[in-house]
Amino acid sequence: LRVVIADFDEIGPVPPLLLENRLFDNLSERAEGDMSVCRLQQVVALRAEALALGEQMQAAIIVWGRKDVVFEAHLEVAGWDLPGRDLPPLPAEVAAGSDFQIREPKHLTFLTEFTFSEILYLDGRIERAQQMLSEALATAEQEGLAKDSAEDLAETYFLLGFLFDGAVSPKPDNQKALVVYTQAFDLNPTLYRAVLNRGKVYEQLDDTERAMADYALLIEEQSPLAASAHVNRAFLQPNREAAERDLESAIRLDPEEGYWFRGNARLYLWNDPTAAIDDFEEAVKLNPEQFFFYHSLGQAQLVAGQTDAAAETYRKISAYLNEDTRQLVIQDLERFYQSQPELKENITTIIETLGEATLPQQPD
């Protein structure tokens, strides 16, 4: 995986920054066998040029920038489903300062390693991504980057927590995940995703008290994730009454999410398919193009004995499926009749209908 560092497009009488050379030296010192660092003596002035260069040189990351009256630096990602990174523009006189020229190559090195770790994760190299992020964070802390780049470090701690999180990682370490999710939130008290994920890790460790405390924090802070916190807390409540209160609050904050999760609780936890149908129907009304809402509604109708209604629901779902999601629904239905053998005949008919359905034309 190649990182290409192009010449920055520098205009004006101010002496050149030479950040590219310092970035190249830093990365070259720290690169291992999975990272090749190239210094390109060529100016890149536009994003389109950077992406074309990445394709031409088979590069994963292209670093480019400019300095005239302002200084900008950009990290483009080529060949991977990841967004690039744009540093906020700064006045040129700030970029010309000695403090900036000492600090910024370290910052760019850190951001490049963070982005490279994301690529390693997508490439399935989880342990290597964990190692690179851990080392990058240790170096960043030693170099004092937390003072000026706290949000970047917080995002990196969050990603490291995700890579260790037993709910998603094939190489889990939930104790480490707890530590780094906490570090992420300490650095950025608005990074509520870290608290939500930390609560889920506590759930995995059967520490219900701490999990509920994290969800309560998100609710009390009126965070953008308060609806999810209500949902998660609902499934930890000791009785249905308390859980229903949380789910009602979730519906007020995020009706789609709230109705769908309450429908699941009513169907699978409390064996109340009729009430679940009402909730899934509300979810479908709110987002009639979300195939999974129809799928949930169809399952509830099957459990409630409404076989004709379920068949109609699965007839409608075809308009919102592609080949991958059709197979997902079929596989889910096959698992469903294994747990509900009395419904096998009806479900088999629905599966046959889904398999024969003409799906919408997908854009190229």
Side-chain angles (χ1 to χ4, degrees), residues 33 87 91 132 205 242 252 256 313:
L87 273 65
M132 176 173 274
L205 297 172
R252 286 196 296 270
E256 274 187 45
T313 295

Side-chain angles (χ1 to χ4, degrees), residues 133-176:
L133 277 183
S134 299
E135 291 173 355
L137 282 163
T139 302
E141 295 285 3
Q142 291 170 4
E143 292 175 342
L145 290 186
K147 178 181 178 182
D148 297 309
S149 306
E151 289 189 10
D152 288 333
L153 265 68
E155 287 289 344
T156 309
Y157 276 117
F158 176 83
L159 176 59
L160 185 58
F162 183 83
L163 294 179
F164 281 121
D165 194 326
V168 291
S169 176
K171 303 292 183 180
D173 186 331
N174 277 332
Q175 293 299 334
K176 285 186 179 178

Side-chain angles (χ1 to χ4, degrees), residues 34-35 154 195 206 237:
D34 48 23
M35 179 191 286
V195 179
D206 294 323
Q237 293 289 9

Side-chain angles (χ1 to χ4, degrees), residues 329-347:
V329 171
I330 288 174
Q331 290 168 10
D332 207 30
L333 283 170
E334 288 171 345
R335 287 190 293 269
F336 189 56
Y337 73 58
Q338 289 172 5
S339 64
Q340 306 275 347
E342 70 279 7
L343 299 175
K344 182 175 180 178
E345 183 177 349
N346 291 320
I347 294 174

